[in-house]
């Protein structure tokens, strides 16, 4: 199991997945190692200590698939706790910006866009990916990245909520 420096310090892994949409299709990657080998997933991974979740998801999607994304919101959080693991996953939604899917050859051995129907028909689609695609395709994501936030101090808010610029803190 890969461990980030953050998880070594806190005992909790902070992870991200980036659901990228292009012309009604969703980006998936097929894992090449570990217990998820052969499974189709939404690309993602662990957050480094010097990154925000938005920076981490853009990096992870690029590293695993060669695709550039712009984050538009948060689909949801999944918190998984066992005797040996504590993992908080943020699933972010974004739009395609550029690049063509190309597996990194290390972590993933395939990367491509699927229609929602094609993706949901995959026998080896990971359950979290299945749930994320189903919810996002129904528009069931409500937290949007607040455009006025400091790049290193980010807010994700319901779509209809606006923060007056004078109330946006410049630091924590």
């Amino acid at each position: 199991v890969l461990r980030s420096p953050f998880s070594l310090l806190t005992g909790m892994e902070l992870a991200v997945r980036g659901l990228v949409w292009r012309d009604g299709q969703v980006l998936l990657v097929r894992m090449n190692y570990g217990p998820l080998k052969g499974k189709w997933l939404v690309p993602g991974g662990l957050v480094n200590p010097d990154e925000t979740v938005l920076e981490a998801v853009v990096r992870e999607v690029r590293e695993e698939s060669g695709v550039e994304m712009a984050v538009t919101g948060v689909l949801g959080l999944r918190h998984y706790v066992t005797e040996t693991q504590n993992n908080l996953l943020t699933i972010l939604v974004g739009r395609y910006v550029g690049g063509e899917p190309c597996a990194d050859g290390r972590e993933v051995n395939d990367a491509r866009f699927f229609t929602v129907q094609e993706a949901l028909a995959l026998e080896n689609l990971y359950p979290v990916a299945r749930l994320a695609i189903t919810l996002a395709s129904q528009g069931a994501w409500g937290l949007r990245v607040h455009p006025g936030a400091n790049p290193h101090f980010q807010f994700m808010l319901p779509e209809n909520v606006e923060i007056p610029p004078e109330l946006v803190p410049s630091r924590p």
Side-chain angles (χ1 to χ4, degrees):
V1 173
L2 297 175
R3 298 278 186 227
S4 73
F6 177 79
S7 69
L8 295 174
L9 291 172
T10 66
M12 175 188 279
E13 296 172 330
L14 183 57
V16 290
R17 295 266 168 213
L19 195 60
V20 182
W21 292 91
R22 178 178 78 175
D23 300 326
Q25 296 185 323
V26 64
L27 178 67
L28 294 175
V29 296
R30 189 171 54 207
M31 294 305 292
N32 197 32
Y33 72 99
L36 299 177
K37 185 175 183 172
K39 300 280 186 190
W40 287 97
L41 292 106
V42 173
L46 297 175
V47 177
N48 292 325
D50 62 342
E51 297 180 298
T52 66
V53 292
L54 300 182
E55 292 166 338
V57 75
V58 169
R59 174 187 54 78
E60 284 287 349
V61 168
R62 181 187 321 110
E63 286 177 2
E64 291 187 358
S65 72
V67 169
E68 295 291 333
M69 75 176 292
V71 178
T72 54
V74 176
L75 177 65
L77 302 174
R78 191 268 296 132
H79 195 187
Y80 177 74
V81 179
T82 68
E83 289 182 10
T84 60
Q85 189 175 14
N86 188 339
N87 179 281
L88 179 62
L89 172 67
T90 304
I91 304 167
L92 297 117
V93 178
R95 62 179 170 75
Y96 169 82
V97 173
E100 286 303 314
C102 179
D104 71 2
R106 283 187 350 265
E107 293 184 54
V108 303
N109 60 17
D110 200 353
R112 60 177 111 149
F113 283 96
F114 293 89
T115 66
V116 170
Q117 295 78 12
E118 291 168 338
L120 295 178
L122 291 169
E123 186 176 304
N124 53 351
L125 181 64
Y126 192 62
V128 172
R130 184 175 305 282
L131 177 61
I133 293 166
T134 300
L135 292 173
S137 68
Q138 297 171 357
W141 54 286
L143 295 181
R144 306 293 194 256
V145 177
H146 186 275
N150 175 317
H152 301 287
F153 189 59
Q154 298 161 342
F155 288 92
M156 284 74 160
L157 302 168
E159 185 172 16
N160 61 346
V161 173
E162 288 296 324
I163 298 176
E166 67 273 11
L167 293 181
V168 177
S170 60
R171 59 176 200 237

